Amino acid sequence: MTSRDNRRLDLILAASLFALVALPWYRIRSGFFGLEWVPDFFSSEKLWPGLLQALNGKWQLLPILVLVAAAVGLRVMRKPGTRGAAMIAIGVSGLAWMLAEGLAIGLRGWNWGLLEALFGDVSGQPAFGAGALMVVTGFALMIAFGAAERGALKGDAFVLGAITLLILLVAVFVFYPLVSMFSGAFQEFDGSFTTEGVRRNIVDPKIWSLGCLAGGNCGVAWRTFFLAICTATGTTLLGLVFALVATRTGFRFKKSLRLLTVLPIITPPFVIGLALTMLLGRSGTLTNVIEVATGWELGRWLYGLTGIWIAQMLSFTPIAFLVLIGVVEGISPSMEEASQTLRSDRWRTFRKVTLPLLAPGLANAFLIGFIESMADFGNPLVLGGSGGVLSTEIFFAVVGAQNDPARAAILAMVLLFFTLSAFLAQRFWLTGRNFATVTGKGDGGRHISLPKRVAWPATTIAVAWAAFTITVYAMIVFGGFVKVWGLDHSLTFEHYIRAFGIGWDEGIRWTGVAWDSFWTTMEIALLAAPLTAAVGLLTAWLIVRQNFPGRSVFEFALMMSFAIPGTVIGISYIMAFNLPPLQMTGTAVILIACFVFRNMPVGVRGGVAAMSQLDGSLDEASLSLGAGSGRTMRKVILPLLRPAILAALVYSFVRAITSISAVIFLVSAKYNMATAYIVGLVENGEYGIAIAYSSVLILVMITVIGGFQLLVGDRRIRRREERVSPGSPINKEANA
Amino acid sequence: MKAVKLALLGTLVAMPGAALADELNLICSADVVICEKLVNEFEASHSDIDVNMIRLSSGEAYAKVRAEARNPQTDLWWGGTGDPHLQAGQDGLSAQYKSPMLDQLQDWAKGQAEVSDFHTVGVYSGALGWGYNKEIFEKKGIEPPKCWADLLDPALKGEVQIADPNSSGTAYTALATLVQLMGEDEAFDFLKKMHANVSQYTKSGSAPVKAAARGETGLGIVFQHDAVSQAVSGFPIGVVAPCEGTGYEIGSMSLIEGAQNPEAARTFYDWVLTAEVQSLMPEAGSFQIPSNANATPPKEAPDLSTIKLIDYDFAEYGDADRRKALLARWDEEVGSLPVQ
């Protein structure tokens, strides 16, 4: 053991020393990986490593040198087992000092007036660069290895290291931005402290007024809340109808119904809203038909909460369906059979047995609908009318002519309060109840089919809604091929050619206007997807397989980022990562980080579900044969987790392409994403190209998902062999 | 197999922007088509400079430039109403630069530069007015409004759209124009009365006329060139310059203070002010008046000499405090009225 202890300590010490003498300590503007800095490394002061910087007047780096030196001393003087506490102390003080000096000294000297008064002037410093980040990692690992040498978690350094690094990452990419956003509310843009903005906004009647009850305007917070309740109710009911029709009727087109539910998930935002205006707006196709037939004047009823509600129903019903179908299928038929044996008819059974058993699932779908509606950005932007909702108000508070970051922060806090309350309600109230439907007893028998008086209306509603969805999508396809949507319906390929044209002039020339953002999107989505899967599954493994103090807090903190709406993430990221110590705005890194930490919770959930199906004896066998936990993870767990890996890959890939609310704040001239580009097109009325671009994105996603699906299928065949082994019951549904 | 995968990954990562060239980070606050036209033309004539362009509305652009004040990521900001450009100049966010092209510019464009102490310059200009949907007015049998006062006609109930001045520079220009035309109290009185006819205060400045073009509303108060471009794309839009007189915008351009590529930015700055480049603009559907006196103005553009322009006081109404006070009053007296 001791040689291993020394070996890994040597590794991080060597890395830290290397970072201190050979890597630029501060951030390089042209980028580190371009390696353009190498030739100027010695001549340019800005590129010097930490050691030279410290000797050259950056006194704030001296404590770091001292700490690293102390760690080297520890390695030489003391034996493993006697130095754990000291290592932890060095690591913690190193991280604390770097945090303190990084936050205190900005580009132009002290960040806080108080420090300047105390210590006098100091020269400014740029953001952390490669050298600094490597040393931070070194300190973090020092804590983990110190704990391992003291025997925590059976001295498993890999697990401890993974936990420490994950905590560090989550702290940096989830909590630090939130804290910056809230502190940003109290800052003027030159950095000085003020409470004026917060005081003005927190009581603003435009947020909190309940005037609509008395015929006036309601505040945006209540409007959003009301909309979210309506959307959640509507999607839950429709989702239930779909789930019942798909599982408990003789309806013939069940397969197509399922396919329909996938479409909205991979549709870029705005598209549904756009199609709705062309269909139901004042001069929409359907509106015209109705007006001609009936002579009513329908007008502009679509704009405002009604329109947003319809668009959200179209977008989020599939999610409610996916949640509910599992629950509907999961209900044990024996309960219903018992009810019928006791001479209840089918209607009474449905009312008194089936529905109550569905309650937790319904509540779950309701809460997801609530959170999704609160966080929705694309639909309200297109259909919002005069009054926006919280997410759009936040956006315009930042980018509008009023330009009030304090207001944005307050609105973001209100939004976060709503979604987190819903999330907490789900955690604490529902988790206890969910078990009620899973009996674990023998589930022989078939589900009874729906009673007639439910089946007919349900089928009718499902068919009508499906027809409506199909019409909306037909409009979308159509819109890409007509000259000017709503005016000149002659067919043309013009939009596709303008967006995706390819020229031939000494090699391929990507002449289409969409190519730049398209390649950036693909590049970032393809980079983010594996990272998301990796971080998510590593976390899942730690949660399921490792027992460490604070595990449930750890899990909760990770899952919480799921409830943070995209707009809030976007704005908190620019507030946190535009200035030292960490500066990433305008790079691809900030987009990737945003996607990874936003989508990771789903990877974690999938991983936890899949991992609880793998018997622990597999790990134990590997461990008792002498493999470390890192090796066990790589050689045993990962190969068995392929479906979960692929699910996480697909999900993060799709979300990276279709999300807009966070992205719109983070794109830059160099890294523009497809959705942000499409928003610009929509804003300028270039509907044809916007739709052509969106259709291409949908096709690309279907192709990629299809590719992933093939790989997943490959895994399913092998599962049959595993089923034979006792003790590893595999439940396909839980995996889905 | 591994090698193949690596190679694939490598090409994916290396695909965009492999060539090493000078960079220019450009924010463009005009129509995306115009922005792309500019970039394509510039890259064609300056193969050594790689342009990274992003389109942001002038409000967004100002927010971005301000947010990055201590650490600018942008080199040049082209287009968008003059107010935020003047504001940026006042805040010290934009750099001073006297282009050699200055002599060739129209007086109003030079005026913009002088007012800002050469922190910004006019690149195009356009007058405020409105566009109305001819079909809707014909169907409803209403006479199209010719003057600001006509907008109060009860027959127009629910047919007027204008942007929210909190989020749109266009609407702020309209607010300031009315204040200068009528006096502040009278202007707010007018807006309160007009509210009865307004169906929606949009977020983006040109959205009202796009809604009018597609028949979603009858009339949109916008810059006339935005209305013209809808008419040129074939929508049944009529363009009106109000009879009492109207305000105008000076679309501007600013170099960002502390930019990373000042050389490339200045190259673009001078290039875009030339008559040849500005004469290209109509091809991209831009119908503003170019700022270079020698450039050919688009034939569809509203002729500034026939429009009664007010003597718009850019210094006073571009001032941050004045602006804040006007917007606060708008919020209190107009924005808080019940939605129609």
Side-chain angles (χ1 to χ4, degrees), chain A residues 223-234:
Chain A
R223 269 206 311 271
T224 314
F225 181 70
F226 175 70
L227 173 71
I229 295 282
C230 290
T231 302
T233 315

Side-chain angles (χ1 to χ4, degrees), chain A residues 396-578:
Chain A
F396 286 109
V398 181
V399 306
Q402 58 185 357
N403 203 323
D404 189 346
R407 183 180 180 79
I410 296 287
L411 288 168
M413 281 188 241
V414 174
L415 183 53
L416 198 58
F417 169 77
F418 279 128
T419 52
L420 275 186
S421 313
F423 177 71
L424 290 178
Q426 187 193 26
R427 289 286 291 192
F428 293 120
W429 180 61
L430 278 176
T431 39
R433 296 189 137 210
N434 253 338
F435 294 108
T437 51
V438 181
T439 60
K441 295 200 180 117
D443 277 0
R446 285 181 56 224
H447 286 298
I448 57 163
S449 46
L450 281 181
K452 278 243 166 55
R453 69 176 98 174
V454 181
W456 278 108
T459 314
T460 318
I461 294 175
V463 169
W465 191 255
F468 184 50
T469 309
I470 291 170
T471 319
V472 168
Y473 275 89
M475 290 298 285
I476 294 170
V477 174
F478 179 63
F481 288 105
V482 296
K483 271 217 171 96
V484 183
W485 203 7
L487 179 80
D488 179 358
H489 286 172
S490 47
L491 296 180
T492 173
F493 283 106
E494 188 192 318
H495 303 309
Y496 284 89
I497 293 170
R498 258 198 62 203
F500 292 101
I502 292 175
W504 202 262
D505 156 33
E506 297 166 23
I508 296 183
R509 278 191 55 198
W510 310 95
T511 52
V513 292
W515 283 119
D516 265 357
S517 56
F518 180 79
W519 288 126
T520 311
T521 307
M522 287 301 139
E523 194 185 324
I524 286 177
L526 287 173
L527 280 171
L531 283 174
T532 315
V535 177
L537 292 174
L538 179 65
T539 313
W541 178 70
L542 289 175
I543 289 172
V544 176
R545 286 292 200 263
Q546 304 299 327
N547 204 353
F548 53 94
R551 187 178 63 167
S552 55
V553 179
F554 178 69
E555 184 188 357
F556 177 74
L558 280 175
M559 298 311 279
M560 203 185 83
S561 67
F562 187 66
I564 305 176
T567 340
V568 177
I569 293 196
I571 179 161
S572 64
Y573 267 43
I574 34 171
M575 286 190 176
F577 298 127
N578 194 41

